Amino acid sequence: MAGGQVDAVVIGRNEGARLTACLDSLAGQVRRLVYVDSGSTDGSLAAARTRGAEVVSLDMTQPFTAARARNAGLALLADDPPQFVQFVDGDCEVRPDWIATAATFLQDHPEVVVVCGRRRERFPEASVWNRLCDREWDTPVGEATACGGDALMRHAAVAAVGGYDPTLIAGEEPDLCLRLRRAGGRIWRLEAEMTLHDAAMTRFGQWWRRSRRAGHAFAEGAWRHRSGTERHWQRETRRALLWGVGVPVAAVLAGVLHPAGWLVLGLWPAQVLRLAPRMGDEAAVFTVLGKLPEAQGVIGYHLGRLRGRQRGLIEYK
């Protein structure tokens, strides 16, 4: 194993063949393999044990979050902590050279505490929703502010900041990375193949729920870190409210006063035309349209906060 001692934490729920592919892709790349399951009914636990994984089954009487699952994996490793821990979502397959490449980079750059690479969709041609995911994963190379669910991290650095925040329904990785950066760490993205992901999104409703979940994450992150100088997710929250609430409300109010007021809705196609040269027609359309479910997520978060309750497990599949 090149570049340092590495363990892996995989989380999943009813991932089926995707989970077995994920676990098989880690064989020989890590010292310990931990699988944390959140109420699967498809034989995932038995499949993981067959592949030599140490299995943690979460108590599903408590609200589930991905952050809670990852922390459960970290807790199992605490008795003999590794130098690095690879977090992987159970619907992802780790590429053969990734862990060695990432671990070597961390060894050579002691100031970096999190390193990620290129996550790709396994079937981008299957649907427009999968293509949008593949585009979303293609973030800039170099120093970053956050990572996604798949990343190699310094175990000691993650433990020092208390791991993931288990109360976050979504956006737990950017929250962790924010705290790591505040502690002096750096986040880096390599130009290297990291994982293959299978979003398996074939319906509009799945995309809508996923976008709503993103809006919830924007709102919660912005609210929790509202006093920070980083202005964490404040811009994303404002954009969701501007385009997802402000424009339609302004159109309705203006339309009541005069029929020409409905022309305010023309701001949406105008925004699509503005974005299209940079991101392409398809992505531009769904970027603008996505502000509606994102705004729904923002409003839902704040209504829940005011009522003093939160929900767990906002799924899109």
Side-chain angles (χ1 to χ4, degrees), residues 12-16 19-20 23 35-58:
R13 181 172 185 255
N14 289 329
E15 299 296 349
L19 176 64
T20 58
L23 298 173
Y35 171 61
V36 183
D37 187 84
S38 54
S40 290
T41 57
D42 65 348
S44 290
L45 284 80
R49 291 190 180 100
T50 299
R51 284 160 174 77
E54 302 172 63
V55 174
V56 179
S57 185
L58 292 182

Side-chain angles (χ1 to χ4, degrees), residues 2-315:
Q5 188 183 68
V6 182
D7 292 346
V9 172
V10 177
I11 66 171
R13 181 172 185 255
N14 289 329
E15 299 296 349
R18 297 184 298 187
L19 176 64
T20 58
C22 175
L23 298 173
D24 288 345
S25 72
L26 288 161
Q29 294 203 66
V30 297
R31 181 189 62 152
R32 295 173 68 183
L33 176 58
V34 176
Y35 171 61
V36 183
D37 187 84
S38 54
S40 290
T41 57
D42 65 348
S44 290
L45 284 80
R49 291 190 180 100
T50 299
R51 284 160 174 77
E54 302 172 63
V55 174
V56 179
S57 185
L58 292 182
D59 177 3
M60 294 305 290
T61 63
Q62 302 178 37
F64 167 77
T65 66
R68 179 180 160 224
R70 293 191 178 101
N71 281 348
L74 282 172
L76 191 63
L77 298 177
D79 61 335
D80 183 18
Q83 186 176 9
F84 310 128
V85 56
Q86 174 70 48
F87 291 99
V88 190
D89 291 341
D91 54 5
C92 293
E93 177 183 334
V94 179
R95 307 307 291 153
D97 298 328
W98 165 249
I99 290 180
T101 298
T104 299
F105 183 86
L106 287 180
Q107 289 281 41
D108 294 342
H109 299 82
E111 76 284 2
V112 177
V113 296
V114 177
V115 63
C116 55
R118 176 69 160 102
R119 177 194 262 199
R120 295 184 187 274
E121 277 303 310
R122 184 182 294 275
F123 304 113
E125 73 287 348
S127 70
V128 60
W129 328 117
N130 280 7
R131 286 196 299 276
L132 291 171
C133 276
D134 191 65
R135 185 183 185 281
E136 178 183 329
W137 308 143
D138 193 13
T139 55
V141 172
E143 188 160 13
T145 58
C147 66
D150 308 334
L152 187 69
M153 304 187 184
R154 293 188 188 275
H155 183 278
V158 175
V161 299
Y164 293 87
D165 185 336
T167 67
L168 287 173
I169 292 174
E172 68 278 0
E173 303 97 344
D175 174 85
L176 172 62
C177 288
L178 177 62
R179 289 182 282 118
L180 287 169
R181 288 189 288 114
R182 286 176 175 174
R186 301 175 74 181
I187 318 299
W188 212 269
R189 181 178 180 241
L190 302 178
E191 183 64 78
E193 297 298 312
M194 180 178 63
T195 50
L196 281 176
H197 176 258
D198 186 4
M201 284 202 295
T202 58
R203 301 185 306 276
F204 178 81
Q206 292 174 295
W207 171 81
W208 185 276
R209 287 190 293 274
R210 186 174 185 274
S211 299
R212 185 183 67 195
R213 187 174 186 269
H216 184 286
F218 294 155
E220 187 164 19
W223 178 257
R224 289 192 177 209
H225 298 288
R226 60 192 180 279
S227 61
T229 59
E230 302 89 353
R231 305 184 66 79
H232 182 64
W233 271 347
Q234 292 184 20
R235 177 181 297 177
E236 289 81 358
T237 302
R238 287 196 303 269
R239 284 175 175 170
L241 291 175
L242 171 64
W243 293 99
V245 177
V247 169
V249 168
V252 170
L253 294 177
V256 169
L257 296 175
H258 190 279
W262 291 101
L263 293 175
V264 172
L265 292 176
L267 290 172
W268 280 339
Q271 178 71 341
V272 170
L273 292 174
R274 188 182 75 84
L275 295 175
R278 174 164 54 91
M279 60 176 56
D281 294 345
E282 185 175 81
V285 167
F286 285 101
T287 294
V288 175
L289 182 60
K291 296 298 178 276
L292 291 170
E294 285 178 14
Q296 184 182 14
V298 170
I299 294 170
Y301 165 71
H302 284 294
L303 288 177
R305 180 179 60 80
L306 293 172
R307 293 168 182 164
R309 65 176 184 267
Q310 291 293 329
R311 297 182 310 160
L313 190 60
I314 298 180
E315 290 187 297

